[in-house]
Amino acid sequence: MYFKNQKFFVAGISVSGESSARFLLERGADVYIYDDVITDKVSQVMEELSLIGARIVTADGCREAAYKCDILVLSPGIPIDTAIPVSFRKQGKLIIGESELAAMYLRATAVAVTGTNGKTTTVTMLDEIMRANNKKCVACGNNGNPIIKYVEDLSFNDFAVLEISSFQLETLSSLKPHIAVVTNITEDHLNRHYNMENYVYLKSKLVRMLREGDYAVLNYDDPVVRSFAKTTKGKVVFFSAQSKIEGAYLENGAIYFDGEKYLDVSDMTVGGVHNVYNALACVAVSAVLGLDKNFTSDAVKNFKGVSHRLEKVREVGGVTYIDDSKGTNIDAAIKAAQSMKTPTIILLGGKDKGEDYAPLFDGLARSPVIHAVIYGENRFKMLNAAIKAGYFGISLCSEFNAAVRLAQFIAKPGQCVLLSPASASFDGFSNFEERGDAFKELVAGIDESFVK
């Protein structure tokens, strides 16, 4: 692609949009930038980009800019069926995302991870495994670290461990990972993808990009993911916590790969069945790459987790507060709840993603959760689902802050307060990180002298 002869329309000036615009401007492209939500931060970034040559587009100027520009670089947060991408599609013009732009120029060996849950943890764990094996590696993608920032710094001998979301997969076609990992598939983002068939199709896209010499590392225990083995040209390597298979598996409390023991689960710093699955996937990748078993095992055992994922915030007045703001769907919230060891008050709610909440309350009934404080935009939908499921240990709040305070007063010494909302954050926050930080700030402000 000859940048100096192309006009790019960058829609959505988030972290990925800003990085894409800078990448293109540095290479002499004519870049138009637009965002329909102008926060102080977005306004500042757009002004900075305009100083190095970007053209700021207003809402009234979108139609004209769409006709002038050759290529749309679409933020993953903007649905593919909204006005701007539809306009480009009608004109037969190219629509890509930041990850697709990066994939065109990525020289490093790519290990790409997708799935409903566990992506960020698996990517972070793999990054630590790579570094323990003295490999130059960058963890990037949907984890908030745009791929495009590193494409020219990584050589053929380096590694890029990529977190890939279903939103990114809508505009991704050039990525050819050497290893594609699929963690699991459960209901998520149905407000965006309309139905499970579309969502599953997008997730399978990553393994369908593989070539004959590449590898698909798949969760054998998830029937949908296991079926992806039929759709890929890559060599299939399974991982399982339920069956002794060819690949990575759990047996007698230890993780093995093809009969070779890597580590005892009891030696892992992080707990929970979900982290066993993450570790199994990482061991499978390590074995495929021929990395040192001991370095890999030590990295998995010493892994401390990621921020906002079952992260202990504080113990005050005998109550432990856990931040799992990253639990943005039903499956993640259930796994978090079922990993608790003591009676727990859970905070649920936020922006609805089109899911049926009945399975959430069925799952909570089989966990240490004794009470749910429901808040946010989708609180009444959740309340109705709870009542239909016969789950009556609930309280209702409209605001997040009030919900946290209520949970604080309900919890008794020896119990936990768990933020695992099973919902997106966009009813009151920019992202799950901001929601988690707000939770931490509220917990930090609890005066121990006033705790009952």
Side-chain angles (χ1 to χ4, degrees):
M1 185 180 292
Y2 185 60
F3 293 107
K4 293 181 180 180
N5 198 33
Q6 301 283 343
K7 290 183 174 65
F8 292 83
F9 189 123
V10 179
I13 308 304
S14 59
V15 175
S16 64
E18 177 188 355
S19 297
S20 297
R22 291 188 185 279
F23 179 87
L24 294 166
L25 288 165
E26 287 168 3
R27 285 151 186 81
D30 196 358
V31 178
Y32 293 69
I33 56 175
Y34 170 75
D35 203 308
D36 61 349
V37 181
I38 305 297
T39 62
D40 290 343
K41 173 64 175 175
V42 168
S43 180
Q44 178 186 339
V45 170
M46 292 179 82
E47 288 299 325
E48 290 175 1
L49 292 172
S50 71
L51 292 175
I52 57 175
R55 304 170 189 259
I56 298 176
V57 178
T58 64
D60 292 338
C62 278
R63 181 184 294 272
E64 182 182 353
Y67 280 105
K68 285 183 179 178
C69 292
D70 306 298
I71 299 169
L72 173 63
V73 182
L74 189 67
S75 166
I78 301 176
I80 197 74
D81 57 356
T82 51
I84 294 174
V86 167
S87 175
F88 272 79
R89 193 181 302 113
K90 284 181 177 178
Q91 297 176 70
K93 294 179 178 179
L94 182 63
I95 302 173
I96 62 175
E98 171 266 324
S99 53
E100 171 67 8
L101 181 63
M104 295 176 183
Y105 301 96
L106 184 66
R107 296 172 295 177
T109 297
V111 178
V113 180
T114 196
T116 304
N117 299 311
K119 296 187 296 294
T120 302
T121 302
T122 301
V123 163
T124 308
M125 190 183 288
L126 280 172
D127 181 51
E128 295 192 10
I129 289 171
M130 294 291 189
R131 294 175 188 277
N133 280 272
N134 298 311
K135 304 294 184 183
K136 183 178 177 181
C137 177
V138 173
C140 49
N142 191 56
N143 63 352
N145 201 17
I147 309 166
I148 199 69
K149 290 170 62 176
Y150 304 98
V151 289
E152 293 198 336
D153 296 331
L154 295 171
S155 73
F156 292 102
N157 295 320
D158 302 328
F159 290 86
V161 182
L162 313 176
E163 178 181 337
I164 304 295
S165 71
S166 60
F167 294 177
Q168 290 170 311
L169 284 164
E170 287 181 336
T171 56
L172 188 60
S173 58
S174 297
L175 180 65
K176 303 297 181 186
H178 180 52
I179 301 175
V181 181
V182 186
T183 58
N184 51 55
I185 303 289
T186 60
E187 277 194 8
D188 202 10
H189 304 301
L190 299 191
N191 59 330
R192 169 82 169 247
H193 302 310
Y194 299 109
N195 56 54
M196 275 298 288
E197 288 78 8
N198 290 340
Y199 180 60
V200 170
Y201 178 80
L202 283 169
K203 288 297 188 183
S204 70
K205 189 175 179 181
L206 193 65
V207 299
R208 286 186 281 111
M209 293 175 177
L210 297 175
R211 296 157 295 197
E212 286 79 357
D214 299 322
Y215 293 84
V217 174
L218 305 176
N219 184 347
Y220 184 84
D221 300 338
D222 186 313
V224 175
V225 177
R226 187 167 68 242
S227 72
F228 289 179
K230 302 174 184 176
T231 66
T232 183
K233 294 179 181 178
K235 301 172 185 176
V236 175
V237 177
F238 287 116
F239 61 94
S240 172
Q242 300 175 10
S243 304
K244 184 176 179 180
I245 56 170
E246 290 185 9
Y249 60 89
L250 180 69
E251 185 178 49
N252 298 324
I255 291 175
Y256 291 80
F257 186 87
D258 283 352
E260 189 171 10
K261 182 178 176 180
Y262 271 68
L263 69 145
D264 290 309
V265 168
S266 60
D267 291 334
M268 292 173 60
T269 302
V270 294
V273 174
H274 58 287
N275 279 317
V276 173
Y277 275 101
N278 297 334
L280 285 163
C282 290
V283 164
V285 171
S286 175
V288 167
L289 292 174
L291 301 180
D292 184 271
K293 185 187 75 170
N294 294 323
F295 290 157
T296 297
S297 300
D298 287 344
V300 173
K301 287 187 283 189
N302 295 325
F303 179 71
K304 294 180 173 58
V306 297
S307 185
H308 306 299
R309 188 68 177 116
L310 287 172
E311 180 184 6
K312 181 178 177 180
V313 177
R314 184 187 181 195
E315 183 179 329
V316 54
V319 176
T320 302
Y321 292 83
I322 306 292
D323 172 16
D324 192 54
S325 182
K326 195 164 173 40
T328 60
N329 58 61
I330 289 171
D331 188 60
I334 291 173
K335 284 185 169 67
Q338 293 179 345
S339 72
M340 295 294 103
K341 304 299 183 186
T342 58
T344 298
I345 290 82
I346 191 170
L347 291 155
L348 298 170
K351 180 75 172 178
D352 184 56
K353 298 167 77 176
E355 295 181 86
D356 175 9
Y357 295 117
L360 171 63
F361 294 98
D362 289 339
L364 293 183
R366 300 189 303 274
S367 80
V369 169
I370 57 172
H371 196 93
V373 179
I374 307 173
Y375 68 92
E377 182 184 285
N378 61 350
R379 62 191 181 277
F380 293 113
K381 182 178 177 181
M382 277 197 171
L383 175 64
N384 288 335
I387 293 170
K388 288 179 181 178
Y391 194 97
F392 299 108
I394 49 180
S395 299
L396 204 64
C397 289
S398 60
E399 301 297 328
F400 178 77
N401 289 13
V404 176
R405 294 302 185 204
L406 180 56
Q408 172 196 335
F409 288 118
I410 293 171
K412 298 176 181 178
Q415 297 180 350
C416 287
V417 171
L418 169 67
L419 170 65
S420 192
S423 310
S425 58
F426 305 127
D427 61 332
F429 302 97
S430 299
N431 47 51
F432 73 82
E433 293 96 340
E434 185 178 298
R435 176 173 58 191
D437 289 341
F439 177 70
K440 291 178 181 179
E441 187 175 341
L442 289 166
V443 172
I446 297 173
D447 189 337
E448 191 158 5
S449 63
F450 290 98
V451 176
K452 59 185 178 181

